[in-house]
Amino acid sequence: MRLKTILIAIVVLAAAFFASLMAMEWLWPRGAAVSVAVEPPPPLPPAARVSRLLVPVAIPLTAIRDTLDKAAPRDFAGKGQNPAPQLLTNADIDWRAVRGPINASGNQNVLTLAAPLTGALQVKGELSASTQEAIGDVLGQLLGSDAAKRIGGVNIKNVNANADIRGDVTMTARPQLAANWRIAPNLAASVNLGDTALSVSGVRINVPNQVKPVIDRTVNEQLARLEERLRNDPMIEQTARREWGKMCRSIALQGAGPGLPPLWLTLKPVKAIAMQPAIDAKALTLTLGVEAETHISSVETKPDCPFPATLELVAAKDAGRVAIGLPIDLPFTEVNKLIDAQLKNKTFPEDGSAAVAVTVKSAKVTPSGQRLLISLLVDAAEKKSIFGLGAGATVHVWGKPVLDEKNQILRLADIELAVESEAAFGLLGAAARAAMPYLQQALADKAAIDLKPFAADALKKIGETVADFRNVADGVQVNAQVTGLRLAGIAFDAKTLRIIAEANGTASATVSKLPNL
C-alpha cells in the first residue's frame, strides 16, 4: 500500500513537471531569445589590390657581341682616286680590308663594340712621260750621263706598289626605352686607321685618305639600317602582349582544404612598367614589369584587360621583386557554414566537468560595427536530473575576429556574453550560467578558420602563375618564384569577411641568344 502511494506520487509529480515544461514551451518557444541590436559596418572598399612584378632581363654582352659579329660585314674593298694624275697615268688603286672579331664592353650605361681592321693597298699604273724624263735628268745629275743612259735602258715606266692597312672600327650605343614600346639605340661609330703611306716615284699616297672614306660610308650605311630596324622593332611589344593575355585570367583555388569554399584568384593587369636600360661590364639589363589588380573571391570572374598603348617608365627600384596583394573575400554565408560545421552538435565542456552539458545545435554570425555577433542555439541539460531533462534557448556572444599570423588561423578574441542573453538563463537555469564560460572558451578555441591549407594552395597556384613566364621565348631563361605568403589584415562589412594576404617573391631573366639581325 505504501509502495503504491509512493508510485502514485511520483507519477503525479512527473505529470506536473511535464505539464510545466509544455507550458514553458508554449510561453517561451524552444530557442526563443531577445533579439540583439546590431550596427551594420560600412561597406568595404573595392576588393582588388595592386600587385607588382618587375623582371630584370639581362642580356649578356657576349650574346650581343655574337649576334653582331654574325651580322656585321667582315670584308671591305674599294678603289682609290689618283692623287697626282699629272705624275701617274692609268692608275689603278685597289684596297681590301678584313674586320677581325668584335669585342664588347660596357660601362656607365654605354655599350662599346670594337673590331680590328687589317688589309692592304695596291697601286698600279704608269709614270707620265714628263715624270720619266724628270727622273732621267735627276739620275744624270747624280750618276753621270753614261750611267743615266744605261739606266734609261731599264723600264721605269710601270708602277706596282703595296702598303698595309691597320686600324679599328668602334661603335657605341646608349639605348633608351620609349613610351611607345620601342627602343632607341642611339648608335655612333668611328673608323680609326694608322697613318701609313707609300711613295711611288716621289708621289706620296696616304693610305687612310684612300681607304677611310669608303669604310666610313660602309659602316655608316650599316649603322643607319641597324638603327632604323631597332627603333621600329616590335619585339618588346609583341612579347608583352602575349604575356599580358596569359596573365589576364581567373585561377581556381579548389584545393584549399575541407570546409573552405571553392575560391578563385583573379589577375587583371592594368599597367605596363619598365626601367631604362642599364649597362655594366657584363650585361645590358632591361627591366620590364606589370602592375595588376589581384583578389580572391568565391566567384569566378572574367577580367577585361585591354593592352596599354603606352609603357610607363619608373625609377630604378624594386627590380626583381614580386609583390602580390591578395584580398580574400568570403561571404558571411560561407563563414556561417564554416563556424556552424565546427560547433554544431558539440557538447561543452568536452571533458564533462560541469554540472550542465551545453550542446550547440546551430551557430550564426552577424557583423556589427567592429565586432561579430555569434548567435548560438543551445540545449542545456542538468546531469544530476534523474529525468535527464533540459531546455533550449538562443545565446548571443560578442567576439572580435583577429588573425593569428604565425599559425595562419582566423580566431575570435575579446569574447563576451551579450547582455540580451540574460533572458535565456531563465530557461536554462543557474547551472547553465556556470557552463557558459566553457562555451565562451569553446568559441575561442573552436570557432576558428584554419587558413594554412588555403594559404599553401594559394602560394602554389601563384607560384605556378609566375612560373608561366619561364617560357617567354626561345633563348630566354626566366627564374621566378614566390617565396612566401603572409596574412596581413582583416576587414568586413555586412556581407563579406575580407582577409588580406601578401605574397612575395623574386623574378629575373637571362637572354642567352638574340634573334638574327
Side-chain angles (χ1 to χ4, degrees), residues 83-221:
Q86 72 277 12
L87 301 177
L88 191 64
T89 61
N90 300 322
D92 186 8
I93 303 176
D94 291 315
W95 62 269
R96 180 174 295 276
V98 177
R99 173 186 63 79
I102 292 178
N103 177 61
S105 61
N107 186 34
Q108 297 182 344
N109 296 330
V110 178
L111 171 64
T112 302
L113 300 164
L117 290 175
T118 58
L121 178 98
Q122 184 180 47
V123 178
K124 294 180 180 180
E126 297 177 356
L127 295 177
S128 64
S130 60
T131 301
Q132 294 181 53
E133 184 178 347
I135 292 174
D137 293 341
V138 171
L139 291 175
Q141 295 175 9
L142 293 174
L143 304 176
S145 58
D146 292 340
K149 289 179 181 178
R150 290 195 296 270
I151 294 175
V154 180
N155 184 9
I156 60 172
K157 179 179 180 182
N158 296 323
V159 175
N160 190 339
N162 296 281
D164 291 335
I165 297 173
R166 296 185 300 274
D168 61 73
V169 57
T170 302
M171 183 186 77
T172 60
R174 293 175 170 83
Q176 290 287 301
L177 194 59
N180 66 349
W181 295 93
R182 300 299 186 267
I183 193 163
N186 297 317
L187 303 176
S190 62
V191 177
N192 302 300
L193 297 177
D195 188 15
T196 59
L198 60 84
S199 179
V200 179
S201 300
V203 178
R204 187 176 187 276
I205 300 178
N206 185 276
V207 173
N209 289 343
Q210 294 293 321
V211 177
K212 191 173 183 299
V214 179
I215 298 180
D216 278 342
R217 183 170 62 253
T218 303
V219 169
N220 289 330
E221 288 174 354

Side-chain angles (χ1 to χ4, degrees), residues 43-350:
L44 287 170
R49 295 275 298 269
V50 175
S51 300
R52 175 177 278 202
L53 174 69
L54 267 175
V55 183
V57 182
I59 307 173
L61 299 188
T62 52
I64 298 174
R65 176 202 65 196
D66 294 345
T67 300
L68 291 176
D69 195 57
K70 292 179 181 178
R74 291 184 174 273
D75 296 319
F76 303 88
K79 287 185 175 293
Q81 295 181 348
N82 190 347
Q86 72 277 12
L87 301 177
L88 191 64
T89 61
N90 300 322
D92 186 8
I93 303 176
D94 291 315
W95 62 269
R96 180 174 295 276
V98 177
R99 173 186 63 79
I102 292 178
N103 177 61
S105 61
N107 186 34
Q108 297 182 344
N109 296 330
V110 178
L111 171 64
T112 302
L113 300 164
L117 290 175
T118 58
L121 178 98
Q122 184 180 47
V123 178
K124 294 180 180 180
E126 297 177 356
L127 295 177
S128 64
S130 60
T131 301
Q132 294 181 53
E133 184 178 347
I135 292 174
D137 293 341
V138 171
L139 291 175
Q141 295 175 9
L142 293 174
L143 304 176
S145 58
D146 292 340
K149 289 179 181 178
R150 290 195 296 270
I151 294 175
V154 180
N155 184 9
I156 60 172
K157 179 179 180 182
N158 296 323
V159 175
N160 190 339
N162 296 281
D164 291 335
I165 297 173
R166 296 185 300 274
D168 61 73
V169 57
T170 302
M171 183 186 77
T172 60
R174 293 175 170 83
Q176 290 287 301
L177 194 59
N180 66 349
W181 295 93
R182 300 299 186 267
I183 193 163
N186 297 317
L187 303 176
S190 62
V191 177
N192 302 300
L193 297 177
D195 188 15
T196 59
L198 60 84
S199 179
V200 179
S201 300
V203 178
R204 187 176 187 276
I205 300 178
N206 185 276
V207 173
N209 289 343
Q210 294 293 321
V211 177
K212 191 173 183 299
V214 179
I215 298 180
D216 278 342
R217 183 170 62 253
T218 303
V219 169
N220 289 330
E221 288 174 354
Q222 292 283 334
L223 211 63
R225 284 195 291 269
L226 181 59
E227 176 99 17
E228 182 179 6
R229 175 171 179 176
L230 292 176
R231 283 182 179 272
N232 297 320
D233 193 337
M235 181 184 67
I236 296 176
E237 181 180 0
Q238 290 173 350
T239 302
R241 281 184 181 274
R242 183 174 63 250
E243 300 307 313
W244 191 274
K246 288 166 57 178
M247 179 176 284
C248 181
R249 56 176 166 159
S250 190
I251 304 167
L253 301 176
Q254 306 287 22
L260 286 173
L263 297 175
W264 299 83
L265 166 63
T266 297
L267 295 173
K268 181 183 179 182
V270 294
K271 184 188 296 184
I273 54 178
M275 299 177 186
Q276 288 295 355
I279 301 173
D280 58 22
K282 294 183 178 180
L284 182 155
T285 301
L286 182 62
T287 301
L288 300 172
V290 65
E291 289 186 355
E293 294 178 356
T294 51
H295 71 277
I296 293 175
S297 66
S298 59
V299 179
E300 181 182 9
T301 61
K302 296 186 181 298
D304 180 26
C305 316
F307 186 77
T310 58
L311 182 65
E312 182 174 323
L313 299 173
V314 298
K317 63 178 183 179
D318 297 333
R321 180 169 175 256
V322 176
I324 302 175
L326 292 172
I328 307 163
D329 284 355
L330 295 174
F332 271 105
T333 53
E334 298 293 341
V335 175
N336 280 327
K337 292 178 184 178
L338 293 171
I339 299 299
D340 189 66
Q342 294 186 37
L343 296 175
K344 188 174 182 179
N345 296 327
K346 299 291 192 306
T347 299
F348 305 100
E350 292 180 304

